[in-house]
Amino acid sequence: MKGLEIKNLVVKIGERAVIDGLNLTIPAGEVHAIMGPNGTGKSSLSKAIAGHPDYKIVSGEVLLDGENIVGLEPDVIARKGFFLSFQYPVDVPGVSIANFIRACLNARLPEGETLDAVKYYKELYAKMDLLKMDKSFTARSVNEGFSGGEKKRCDILQMLMLNPKFAVLDETDSGLDIDALRIVSEGVNSARSSERGMLLITHYNRLLEYIKPDKIHVLNAGKVVLSGGAELALELEKKGYDWLK
């Protein structure tokens, strides 16, 4: 199957299980959302899939287009077409946005091949225009001195340029004002494709008003406890999460 399949996943930090027998299937071409209260494993799930060393996958499978990526190094997982947008993007002092994205793209090319600089910058500037980013950003160090909205735009710019098979966006709406949320959402919506699946991790319905998901899943105690359509987000906003426990 094209897309992401998670089967009976168990993840631990030290001796504590943060994901406990989770099952989830997101076909290519669909956008799903995961919601749930703090501490239920949403960000832990994203980091475990990406190969973060602090999140030990004890059992289960994570299949990307049918290939089990559990146990692979993070850079290998990324080159296989997985993209993770962090809740708190990190600064990379001394490395410009343009050079950072170019290095990521070159790492995916066969040995000895390099990007065409003219084509690269033409595409980069087009994506920046979509995200309403000034072209001067290309010379700035990745995320250094950026506002919350600028960091999230920078993350979405990377996703648009890297063109992954599957993308997980961890609380992309965190720290965004209304204008920034709309712009970032437009960038995400432009990446929707029959060949790409996406998973949005969020607390609030406001993001899902801009990016309409095909399905919503609720996480509690490290596993999916409820799934439904877009209307589920409205129900959660009215009732909260206590009724699901």
Side-chain angles (χ1 to χ4, degrees):
M1 187 203 87
K2 278 195 168 185
L4 192 74
E5 291 181 88
I6 303 173
K7 299 181 177 181
N8 300 313
L9 194 69
V10 177
V11 179
K12 288 187 175 181
I13 301 178
E15 296 302 313
R16 180 171 64 92
V18 289
I19 299 295
D20 187 15
L22 186 141
N23 291 281
L24 189 61
T25 299
I26 306 170
E30 292 190 9
V31 175
H32 289 205
I34 280 185
M35 303 183 75
N38 285 326
T40 55
K42 300 186 300 299
S43 292
S44 296
L45 174 64
S46 67
K47 291 173 182 174
I49 297 171
H52 193 298
D54 290 347
Y55 296 79
K56 183 179 179 182
I57 295 179
V58 178
S59 60
E61 294 181 311
V62 178
L63 306 178
L64 180 62
D65 285 359
E67 179 183 358
N68 191 7
I69 59 174
V70 171
L72 300 180
E73 292 296 318
D75 64 309
V76 176
I77 294 172
R79 286 200 296 270
K80 287 185 177 293
F82 180 83
F83 178 87
L84 171 61
S85 171
F86 293 103
Q87 181 180 358
Y88 304 108
V90 297
D91 297 0
V92 188
V95 180
S96 72
I97 290 175
N99 286 339
F100 179 75
I101 295 175
R102 183 163 54 183
C104 292
L105 288 168
N106 275 325
R108 288 158 170 73
L109 295 176
E111 190 172 350
E113 290 188 21
T114 56
L115 293 173
D116 180 287
V118 174
K119 289 182 179 178
Y120 168 68
Y121 277 100
K122 183 179 180 180
E123 183 178 1
L124 181 66
Y125 290 151
K127 304 300 187 190
M128 292 178 74
D129 286 343
L130 177 68
L131 293 166
K132 295 180 171 53
M133 297 176 71
D134 190 274
K135 291 181 176 59
S136 64
F137 269 74
T138 58
R140 293 180 62 180
S141 294
V142 178
N143 294 327
E144 190 173 32
F146 284 19
S147 68
E150 289 169 342
K151 287 184 177 183
K152 296 304 173 74
R153 288 191 220 188
C154 185
D155 259 11
I156 301 305
L157 176 64
Q158 293 168 44
M159 180 185 74
L160 295 177
M161 290 297 293
L162 294 174
N163 195 28
K165 294 177 182 176
F166 196 93
V168 176
L169 308 181
D170 188 3
E171 298 204 30
T172 296
D173 52 337
S174 175
L176 299 185
D177 61 27
I178 293 297
D179 290 333
L181 177 63
R182 178 179 49 79
I183 292 166
V184 166
S185 298
E186 286 173 358
V188 174
N189 282 325
S190 75
R192 297 183 82 146
S193 161
S194 60
E195 298 298 311
R196 179 181 301 111
M198 288 194 277
L199 177 62
L200 312 175
I201 296 173
T202 184
H203 283 291
Y204 306 109
N205 180 57
R206 70 171 193 157
L207 176 67
L208 307 183
E209 292 175 351
Y210 292 93
I211 307 170
K212 301 295 185 183
D214 296 286
K215 189 174 282 190
I216 293 174
H217 310 280
V218 181
L219 213 63
N220 193 44
K223 61 181 65 177
V224 174
V225 295
L226 184 66
S227 296
E231 70 283 350
L232 181 56
L234 294 173
E235 188 175 5
L236 293 169
E237 192 148 279
K238 289 178 182 177
K239 295 183 177 179
Y241 293 105
D242 287 343
W243 63 284
L244 294 170
K245 294 179 182 178

